[in-house]
Amino acid sequence: MSIYQWFLFFLFIQIVHFLGTWKLYEIAGRKRWEALIPVYNAIILMKIIGRPTWWTILLFIPIINLIMFPVIWVETIRSFGKNSSLDTFLVIITLGFYIYYLNYTQKLNYKADRNLKPENKTSDTVSSLLFAVIVATLVHTYIIQPFTIPSSSLEKTLYIGDFLFVSKLNFGARAPMTAIALPMVHDSIPLLGVKSYLFNDDITKKETSILNKFQLPYFRFPAIETIKRNEIVVFNQPADTLLDMDNFKPARNYYKPIDKKTNLVKRCVAIPGDSLEIREGDVYINGKLSKLPESAKLQYNFFVNTQGTSMDQNSLVKMYGARDGLKDGNGNFGLTNNGEYVLTLTDNEALRIANNPVVKSVKKYLLPKGEDGDVFPHIHMLGWNIDNFGPIYIPKKGVTIKLDKTTLPFYKRIIQEYEKNTLQIDGDKIIINGKPVNSYTFKQDYYWMMGDNRQNSLDARFWGYVPFDHVVGKPVFIWFSWDKDGKGIQKVRWNRVFSFVNNGEPKSYLIHFLIALAAFFVGEYFWKKRKEKKV
């Protein structure tokens, strides 16, 4: 819904609230009209039910309000003597409309001095859990979110099995756009595998389904910093229409809200206003070779020719750093019919393995310039591929570009999907929102996201630009790292636990944390002993 539509819906909710509670306000000694004034009525209601005024704020925070509404309904009826389990069940199951029944049919007495403390241990536990969920949801949604590395696209910088904390504050916390969803889960309910949000994912009904009318307008809080070149960013995959990211050929496409598209983590190699080109696998920005941070470990596929001589598997992994490549059914690196290993390595690792006596030659595999690789914008005559691509302009908010049938394929998705315009083509005419145009002005910034595992990454080279409204946050901290192929205690990558992202080689601060934690408990113990002696 648009801001105007949400405003009308908000006013409608105020009328619904007034009609169902005006009598309760009067019984509590307030004026009837106080139940009608937006926001003010919520403040007065907090006074009636004996809860702090700041609870009003929680009623207007997306997702949090879904937890708060049932709490307020229950607190309201209990303030008027309806304390039974049946009353609680009825007010929740009717989405609060049980209050209408009480308001118009029951003789109620206001309990101004009711005991707000939980009546029993079960009630106390439920109250504590609700408070914990609300706090956790606030932190998860607006401050910091846990994230797991799902793929090898940033291998040797971020590993599969790294558990991250992603800061929402750095690039500005994005308010949820899907108004009705379960808190602290993404697009599906764990174990059940069903959607965690209310939305019709049939792409043919994206504009008509009533379920899709409850989307909130995009809003982002002020940022601490802007996205810099070659910074690692978590974002929603802009062209995600898959039910399962491991199944690239679903029975049908699935239309998703922005904030429920699959979370990805990549390196932002180009920012708004840049011109990007890839030459022989190297990225050039504005005509200059991109300068990567020390922490970046670019990898490519190499043919390592041993003329059929096998190499020790442990040496390939430990000594030469091979993690991806051509493997056999047992998960080991296997030789091709030509007597070669196909290994994913950095340039330095390729130089090291070339010095092994059994290695006859090492050759980086690159697609030749001019060979079509079915990459963005999917124009075969361009002859672009993952290793030789561009140049391409990265759109910047407020910049106007020339628009014709040649440039349109680059910006068609931006115009229609990301910036919500109607687009028609009539011969050589391009018609946007019913008017013929020969130019277009971008409404937001766009970014170019790529993986460090350059030839094994599904990234912007395939689906194009990432809009700023798809940006989730900045990974800042690895709190745990798990190697599924490790053995015993070595399954934990101890050198990565409690380490920072984008900070050179990983350095674990786990020992520092444990020492600080031990010092805290020891200090607390002696502090209590000292207080006991004084008493």
Side-chain angles (χ1 to χ4, degrees):
M1 287 195 288
S2 66
I3 294 177
Y4 175 70
Q5 290 171 326
W6 271 107
F7 177 71
L8 293 179
F9 181 71
F10 174 72
L11 293 181
F12 171 73
I13 293 298
Q14 303 308 307
I15 294 172
V16 170
H17 174 78
F18 171 75
L19 294 176
T21 61
W22 64 267
K23 190 176 179 181
L24 303 184
Y25 277 69
E26 288 186 338
I27 294 172
R30 309 300 304 196
K31 303 294 184 183
R32 180 182 302 186
W33 60 266
E34 290 181 298
L36 184 61
I37 308 302
V39 183
Y40 178 73
N41 55 9
I43 294 172
I44 297 302
L45 183 60
M46 294 307 116
K47 295 181 183 296
I48 291 173
I49 66 177
R51 295 302 180 178
T53 303
W54 61 264
W55 275 29
T56 304
I57 299 172
L58 301 180
L59 296 175
F60 295 93
I61 300 177
I63 306 301
I64 298 295
N65 54 14
L66 298 181
I67 305 171
M68 289 301 299
F69 287 144
V71 174
I72 299 301
W73 298 334
V74 172
E75 291 288 308
T76 299
I77 64 172
R78 287 182 177 176
S79 295
F80 293 89
K82 297 298 179 178
N83 300 313
S84 71
S85 298
L86 179 60
D87 288 316
T88 301
F89 172 78
L90 288 173
V91 78
I92 293 176
I93 201 69
T94 62
L95 302 180
F97 282 98
Y98 180 59
I99 296 174
Y100 268 70
Y101 169 77
L102 299 177
N103 188 58
Y104 288 104
T105 67
Q106 302 293 300
K107 186 176 181 180
L108 302 172
N109 294 311
Y110 175 53
K111 308 292 184 180
D113 56 350
R114 72 186 179 99
N115 185 8
L116 297 178
K117 292 182 179 180
E119 297 176 359
N120 50 54
K121 190 173 182 179
T122 301
S123 297
D124 185 44
T125 301
V126 171
S127 298
S128 298
L129 285 174
L130 277 173
F131 180 75
V133 169
I134 290 169
V135 172
T137 303
L138 276 171
V139 172
H140 182 277
T141 306
Y142 296 99
I143 301 176
I144 200 162
Q145 175 183 339
F147 183 83
T148 308
I149 297 298
S151 72
S152 63
S153 67
L154 282 171
E155 277 289 332
K156 295 194 172 76
T157 303
L158 294 176
Y159 290 179
I160 294 176
D162 278 351
F163 291 80
L164 308 175
F165 283 136
V166 176
S167 169
K168 304 288 188 72
L169 300 177
N170 290 67
F171 306 139
R174 184 184 65 186
M177 287 170 271
T178 305
I180 304 176
L182 287 180
M184 293 188 297
V185 295
H186 187 50
D187 58 347
S188 63
I189 301 174
L191 302 180
L192 298 180
V194 297
K195 280 189 301 185
S196 62
Y197 57 98
L198 191 66
F199 195 82
N200 190 328
D201 56 23
D202 186 341
I203 198 167
T204 64
K205 299 177 182 178
K206 67 176 185 177
E207 303 295 343
T208 57
S209 175
I210 188 65
L211 299 182
N212 298 1
K213 302 301 181 183
F214 294 97
Q215 290 296 110
L216 294 167
Y218 168 69
F219 173 78
R220 188 181 291 272
F221 288 93
I224 296 174
E225 60 176 319
T226 58
I227 299 174
K228 302 177 184 65
R229 287 192 197 96
N230 294 315
E231 195 163 33
I232 296 176
V233 178
V234 173
F235 59 95
N236 298 115
Q237 210 273 50
D240 179 18
T241 58
L242 301 177
L243 180 64
D244 179 358
M245 284 300 288
D246 293 325
N247 177 17
F248 289 99
K249 295 182 179 180
R252 67 173 176 88
N253 290 332
Y254 294 80
Y255 186 73
K256 301 178 182 179
I258 291 173
D259 56 338
K260 295 303 176 182
K261 293 179 180 179
T262 300
N263 287 328
L264 294 182
V265 57
K266 307 285 182 187
R267 191 177 299 280
C268 176
V269 299
I271 60 176
D274 281 345
S275 175
L276 174 139
E277 186 176 3
I278 303 175
R279 308 174 196 165
E280 301 297 313
D282 294 321
V283 172
Y284 288 77
I285 301 298
N286 303 322
K288 297 180 180 179
L289 183 65
S290 179
K291 187 176 180 180
L292 291 163
E294 182 185 347
S295 60
K297 300 291 188 293
L298 298 188
Q299 298 175 85
Y300 301 90
N301 295 329
F302 287 87
F303 291 115
V304 180
N305 185 4
T306 65
Q307 294 184 349
T309 302
S310 297
M311 297 181 69
D312 179 65
Q313 292 290 320
N314 191 57
S315 295
L316 288 174
V317 176
K318 300 294 184 181
M319 187 179 299
Y320 301 116
R323 295 181 59 80
D324 281 345
L326 181 64
K327 296 184 178 181
D328 60 25
N330 297 319
N332 295 320
F333 294 107
L335 288 162
T336 67
N337 293 332
N338 296 326
E340 298 174 320
Y341 286 101
V342 181
L343 303 177
T344 304
L345 307 168
T346 66
D347 287 338
N348 286 335
E349 289 165 348
L351 288 174
R352 287 207 308 272
I353 202 170
N355 292 324
N356 189 297
V358 305
V359 174
K360 308 306 178 185
S361 65
V362 176
K363 181 182 178 182
K364 183 185 288 187
Y365 174 72
L366 295 171
L367 290 174
K369 184 177 182 179
E371 181 178 313
D372 175 56
D374 194 24
V375 292
F376 182 83
H378 303 285
I379 300 175
H380 301 305
M381 62 181 295
L382 288 175
W384 291 3
N385 55 59
I386 59 173
D387 299 315
N388 290 278
F389 183 98
I392 188 171
Y393 173 71
I394 313 301
K396 184 176 183 179
K397 182 179 179 179
V399 170
T400 300
I401 49 97
K402 179 183 177 183
L403 199 61
D404 54 32
K405 294 186 75 172
T406 302
T407 59
L408 182 61
F410 292 87
Y411 310 116
K412 183 178 180 181
R413 185 171 178 84
I414 288 178
I415 295 168
Q416 285 183 293
E417 181 65 25
Y418 305 149
E419 302 194 353
K420 308 300 180 186
N421 299 287
T422 61
L423 174 66
Q424 295 174 290
I425 301 173
D426 184 7
D428 289 331
K429 288 184 179 180
I430 298 173
I431 303 169
I432 297 178
N433 298 328
K435 297 180 180 179
V437 298
N438 56 18
S439 65
Y440 184 78
T441 302
F442 299 109
K443 299 176 184 178
Q444 65 174 317
D445 287 328
Y446 293 82
Y447 300 84
W448 196 263
M449 309 290 188
M450 288 173 55
D452 290 353
N453 195 346
R454 287 290 163 83
Q455 294 163 326
N456 302 284
S457 173
L458 184 64
D459 54 34
R461 291 169 292 180
F462 294 94
W463 32 254
Y465 312 105
V466 175
F468 185 53
D469 63 11
H470 283 57
V471 170
V472 174
K474 178 178 180 177
V476 292
F477 192 70
I478 301 171
W479 61 272
F480 189 70
S481 187
W482 180 261
D483 183 1
K484 66 180 179 63
D485 296 322
K487 295 181 179 180
I489 197 171
Q490 294 305 314
K491 280 184 174 289
V492 180
R493 301 187 186 103
W494 296 103
N495 66 315
R496 301 183 68 79
V497 176
F498 275 58
S499 64
F500 290 94
V501 180
N502 278 322
N503 197 29
E505 292 295 327
K507 178 184 177 181
S508 175
Y509 289 90
L510 178 61
I511 297 298
H512 304 74
F513 171 76
L514 293 176
I515 292 173
L517 192 64
F520 170 79
F521 284 117
V522 170
E524 185 182 41
Y525 172 78
F526 284 110
W527 177 259
K528 287 181 178 179
K529 285 289 185 182
R530 185 180 178 184
K531 286 180 70 176
E532 288 173 1
K533 286 182 179 180
K534 288 183 179 181
V535 173

